[in-house]
Amino acid sequence: MNPAKPIQSFVFESVPQTMIINEDDDSGEGGGALRAHPGVNPLGAADWGGDAVFFFPTGGLTVMRAGWWSNCYWPVTVDTTRWTARWYFRKPTSRRELFAVMCSGIQYRDIQTEDNFGVRGQMQGLETGAFDHINLGFAEIGLRHHHAVMTAAVEQRRNGGGQQPQRWAAE
Amino acid sequence: MMADIEMKLPARFADLQPFAETWGRVNDTAERYLLRQNSTMDDMRAFHAAAAHRLDEIFVYLDSFPEGDLPPAEDLLFRTILGLGEVMQAVEVLGEPRIKNAPYPYHLEMTVIDDSAR
């Protein structure tokens, strides 16, 4: 219990969405059984919190202890997109769990909203012409990788040659 | 917003009555989200101080009732406490009622679908 965040603590204790599962956890469906699934935790982390898989550039899937969620970004025009997200939780068995699930939905909604409007701000900044690029941190290796592959694919389509996207993907 | 039906909390939670007058009048996630955006931090901190540390007591009480519809006073208590989900974000996470860079008022549809029978 974090005394400064009693509601968040109550939510995590009531529906453990983002709890870490370690090697000592064998608490049935949400613990040992999930950890033992061959598609989960492919790197074998001792403390596992979740897996995130990205389907560049239009979406992703995140699997965690008590549920999973998907994000889809559907291109509508050159400068608009339609965002849809689905969160899946185990069905609440009490009003306590229902409250915790609803709070979890609010948390994810706000996190994603903040991220989406951050991206919108970047796009608006580019549109003004005030700057022409975005800096990506080292940790954003997935995005950098996919961007490089996509750039190579576009160049190959335009010029009939250039960098091979398959080679970029392999590297 | 809900009409003035039963607006009295159970006697043991009567001290939360001022918050039922606002958070207990909304009945879905979209209205609660808008209420947060329109609330002051002082109001939400007061709700947080009065109720956040009583969640266990509140849900032991609410879960003592059978599954299904709650009596009017308990239903009002549940609706009121659901507002703490929005208050949690403002007080414990964001430090403000609204999300930075998001337009105001910001509406986002959240639909609950029970597809457990599939």
Side-chain angles (χ1 to χ4, degrees), chain A residues 134-149:
Chain A
I134 298 170
N135 293 317
L136 296 175
F138 179 76
E140 294 169 296
I141 187 69
L143 182 55
R144 292 162 58 197
H145 167 80
H146 289 304
H147 179 260
V149 172

Side-chain angles (χ1 to χ4, degrees), chain A residues 1 3-11 83 86-88 91 93-99 102-111 113-114 117-118 120, chain B residues 29 32-33 36 48 52-53 55-56 59-60 62-63 65-66 68 70 78 81-82 84-86 88-89 92-93 99 101-103 106 108 110 114-116:
Chain A
M1 167 72 85
K5 300 187 176 186
I7 305 175
Q8 199 172 70
S9 298
F10 182 86
V11 169
W83 169 54
R86 286 175 176 247
W87 293 274
Y88 293 84
K91 190 172 183 178
T93 59
S94 64
R95 295 180 181 96
R96 175 189 297 258
E97 286 188 7
L98 175 59
F99 170 77
M102 294 185 77
C103 288
S104 297
I106 289 168
Q107 288 177 316
Y108 295 140
R109 177 202 67 196
D110 282 2
I111 290 169
T113 298
E114 191 170 27
F117 282 107
R120 189 180 77 157
Chain B
T29 56
R32 276 189 284 273
Y33 187 26
R36 183 186 97 192
H48 186 273
H53 290 279
L55 279 172
D56 192 60
F59 280 100
V60 166
L62 289 175
D63 281 331
F65 290 83
L70 287 165
F78 190 38
I81 292 306
L82 285 177
L84 280 181
E86 297 294 348
M88 166 189 73
Q89 287 298 96
E92 298 184 4
V93 180
I99 296 173
N101 300 320
Y106 182 56
L108 195 147
M110 289 180 74
D114 181 358
D115 60 358
S116 58

